[in-house]
Amino acid sequence: AQAPPAEPEEPVDHEKIRHLMAPALDEIAKARDAARAGGAEFVVVLINPQRADGTFADVQLAYNSEVVDFCRERGIDVVDPLPELIRAARGKPIFRSTDDYHWTGAADHLAAGQVYIYLTQSSLAMREFRKNASWVRPRGAELASALPERGSVLQ
């Protein structure tokens, strides 16, 4: 059976979206501040439900744009997999469960891939690498004796 056609959408009201998103955006900033205070990195990953007919609502692009702009203006790392979800779905409902809007494993995998790409291409991954390397370097001999099969890498 084919899914019913999507409901017609109202025009996107960006001012209304900014107003509606304000509390959530404030929470993102607070969460980033808490992560930094604890010495942790912080990355926002956007999640959008796919409709039963395989499409994503136009308003989701507008919401994501507001979040991405907010994050980038404040130096908050953000990953928006929606464009890749739209491209990969090709209008088929492959990224939602059959009985509700929750993502399938395929959507989880695609989003994880987008996060991986972001982390490997951003300075965030290099900061973590340098932090870990600075911890490992002085302990190389100790670690090599504990992990003899990795000794050549650690020394």
Side-chain angles (χ1 to χ4, degrees), residues 81-82 84-85 87-89 95 103 105-115:
L82 183 56
E84 186 61 19
L85 287 165
R87 187 200 64 73
F95 294 131
W103 276 5
D108 294 338
H109 185 77
L110 185 144
Q114 294 295 295
V115 171

Side-chain angles (χ1 to χ4, degrees), residues 79-129:
V79 177
D80 180 5
L82 183 56
E84 186 61 19
L85 287 165
I86 292 169
R87 187 200 64 73
R90 295 187 205 133
K92 296 179 182 158
I94 60 173
F95 294 131
R96 63 171 280 131
S97 299
T98 55
D99 57 347
D100 67 17
Y101 60 86
H102 286 94
W103 276 5
T104 61
D108 294 338
H109 185 77
L110 185 144
Q114 294 295 295
V115 171
Y116 174 79
I117 290 167
Y118 178 80
L119 292 177
T120 57
Q121 293 179 351
S122 73
S123 62
L124 180 64
M126 290 310 296
R127 283 194 308 261
E128 285 301 304
F129 176 78

Side-chain angles (χ1 to χ4, degrees), residues 49-105:
Q50 187 180 35
R51 293 174 170 166
D53 71 353
T55 63
F56 292 85
D58 290 342
V59 73
Q60 291 181 54
L61 292 164
Y63 272 95
N64 285 19
S65 177
E66 289 297 323
V67 175
V68 168
D69 290 349
F70 176 87
C71 289
R72 288 189 178 147
E73 288 168 4
R74 288 156 183 79
I76 299 172
D77 294 294
V78 60
V79 177
D80 180 5
L82 183 56
E84 186 61 19
L85 287 165
I86 292 169
R87 187 200 64 73
R90 295 187 205 133
K92 296 179 182 158
I94 60 173
F95 294 131
R96 63 171 280 131
S97 299
T98 55
D99 57 347
D100 67 17
Y101 60 86
H102 286 94
W103 276 5
T104 61

Side-chain angles (χ1 to χ4, degrees), residues 9-25 59 62-64 66-67:
E9 294 189 43
E10 295 180 23
V12 175
D13 181 343
H14 292 276
E15 201 57 44
K16 181 179 178 182
I17 289 172
R18 273 187 219 92
H19 174 72
L20 292 172
M21 289 298 296
L25 297 174
V59 73
Y63 272 95
N64 285 19
E66 289 297 323
V67 175

